Amino acid sequence: MSIYQANPPVDSLVLYKIRPARVVSIGEKIEIELAGGHSKRVRAKDVELLHPGPLRSLSELAPQQGELTEAWELLEGSETTLKDLAELAFNVFTPATAWAAWQLVAEGLTFSGTPRAIQARTRELVEREQAERAAKEAAERDWQAFLERLAAACPAPEDTHRLGEVERLALGQSEHSRILEALGHQQTPGNAHRTLVQVGYWERNHNPYPVRCGAPTQDPDLPVPALPEDERVDLTHLPAYAIDDEGNQDPDDALSLDGERLWVHVADVAALIAPDSDLEREARARGANLYLPERVVNMLPSAVTDRLGLGLQPVSPALSFGFRCGNAGEIEEIEVCRSWVRVERLSYDAVETQLDRMPFAALHMIANRFRDRRSAQGATSLELPEVSVRVVDGQVIIRPLPRLKSRAMVMDAMLMAGEAAARFCLDRGLPIPFATQPPPENGDESTDLAGMYARRRCFKPTRLSVVPEPHAGLGLALYTRATSPLRRYSDLLVHQQIRAWLSGREPLSAQRIIECSGEADTASIAIRRGERLSNQHWKLLFLRDNPTWKGEGVVVGREDRKAVLLLPELAMEVRVRVRDEVELNQRLQVAVGEIDVAELTANFRILG
C-alpha cells in the first residue's frame, strides 16, 4: 500500500516548506508541530508526506550514517521514491532515515525531485555541479577575503578591478555598489569617495568633481592646420601689452595705444578653427577651458595656444579691434582687421606700479571714462571677496586677489572691445551670440558686503541670444564676448563670423548660431560646475591640512538660528549656528571645526 495518502496520518513526518514537521491532529485543517515545539494549522496541500510514522517527537530525526554514494551509483540515471532511497541508503525506512534521505535530495547534487518521484542524476551532471559549487565556494571565500582586506584598509593589487565598481558610484556613473552594501555603508557618492581614499585606490587629495560633473579631463588630441596666408595689417610698430595674472598660460588679448585710438588685439583663433571642422566641433562640445586649481584642461589643443597666444612668439597673428572712447565714454570709429602684433607680457602687479606712466596712464584714463559711462547706465559693481586657489607641488595655496586698478583697467578694455565687436556685427547684419542680462528683480545699491551679497542673488545669469538686448549688470545696451577665443567657444564663434565678413565668405545663419552657441552653453554648465566644486574641494583640503585655522567672517545673511558668513580670506560662504542675534556686516572671529572632504562640507564655530 502506498504511503502517500490524501491526508497524512497523525504522528506522521511531513515536509512543510523546507522544514520537517509532525502531524498532531487532522480536522478541517491539519495541525503540525515544528522544531522548537511551535504549532501551526495548515491546509493539506501545504504539506507533503515523508513518512507515515509513528513519529513521537522531531528530536527523533537524528543524523544517520548510510551508504549514500553507493545508493546514488546504483540508481544513477533512474527514478526512485523516497522510501526506496532510504531503504537502499540506510537499510531501513524510518522517520529519521526518510528525513536523512530527503535532505540528500534537497541538497540537489546527486538526487533531485519530489518524495514520490526522485531522479538520480547522471555522473556528468553531478561532476559539473560539483565543479560549479566548488567554483562558487572559492568565489565566496575570495569575496569574503576581499571584504576583510577592505575593512582593514589593506587591499591587494588584484582588488583594483573590483574597486572600479565603487569608483563608478563615487563619480556619479552608477547608483549601486555591492561592495559598499556588503561593508554596511550607505550607497552614496560621498561614501564611495571616502572608501576609495581609505583603501588607497584614490590619492588622499583626489579631485573627483570634473569627472563627476561630466567635464573633459584631457586636452583635445587633434591635428592643427597651418596658419593661412591671409592679408594682415602690420601693427608691430605699436607697443602691445598682454596683461594678466602671473603664470597665465593662455594670453589671448593685448592692448595698444595709437594716439587717442585704443587697439584690443585678440588671438586670431578662428584663422585655424574653421566652422564645422573637427577642431570646431570639439571646442563646441566642451564650451570652454576647464580651470582647476591643480591644472587646466584646454578647449583646444595646446598647439593652438603655442602658435596663437599673444606674446608666446616674437610676432603673433591677431584679430584687432580699434576704436576711440569719446569724452562721454562712448565707443566710436570702430575698425576690425586681421593683423600682426608684437606683444610684451606683463602681470597686473607690474602694471599697477606704472599707472602714472605712459602708456598705462592714458589707458587708465580711457578705461575710467568708459566705466563712468557704464555706471551712469546702471552697471553693478559687486566687490565680493575673490581668491586664487592653486595646487603647487601638492600644496594648496590660497591667495586673496586684491582690487587692483590695473585689473579693472584691463577688464574695461575687454568690455570696450566686446561692445565694439557687437556694434560692428550688428551694423553689418552678422548674426552672433550677444551676451544679455535683464535688470535685477529687486535689491538695493548698498556697497557694504551684505548688500552686495544680496544684490548678486537678484541677478539672473547672463544668457546668449542672437537678439541684441542690454546687459544690465555691465551697464551696456549692446555687448558680446569677443576677447577670449582660446578659452571660450562663444568668443570663437564671434571671431568666425567677423572673419567670414572680412574674407567675403557667407557667415553662419542666425539659426546655426543659436544651435552652436546653445550646444556649447550646455556643455559649459559641466565646466562651470566642475570648477566651482573643485575649488570648494581644494579649499576644504587646505582647511583639513590647517586644522587650527582661524579667521574673520562677515555676516551677510540670517537663516533661522544660523548666520550666513563670507570668509574673505577664503572667499567662502558658510553657515554658522549662533546663540545671540547678529547684525548684517557684523564681523565675527571663527575657527574651523569638522571637515568632511568626501561630502564637501565644513563646520565652523564662532570664537569668543
Side-chain angles (χ1 to χ4, degrees), residues 311-324:
L312 299 184
Q313 304 294 337
V315 175
S316 302
L319 190 66
S320 295
F321 298 85
F323 47 84
R324 289 181 65 257

Side-chain angles (χ1 to χ4, degrees), residues 594-608:
E594 183 180 355
I595 299 293
D596 191 335
V597 174
E599 296 293 347
L600 215 60
T601 59
N603 291 324
F604 291 80
R605 67 181 188 279
I606 297 174
L607 298 175

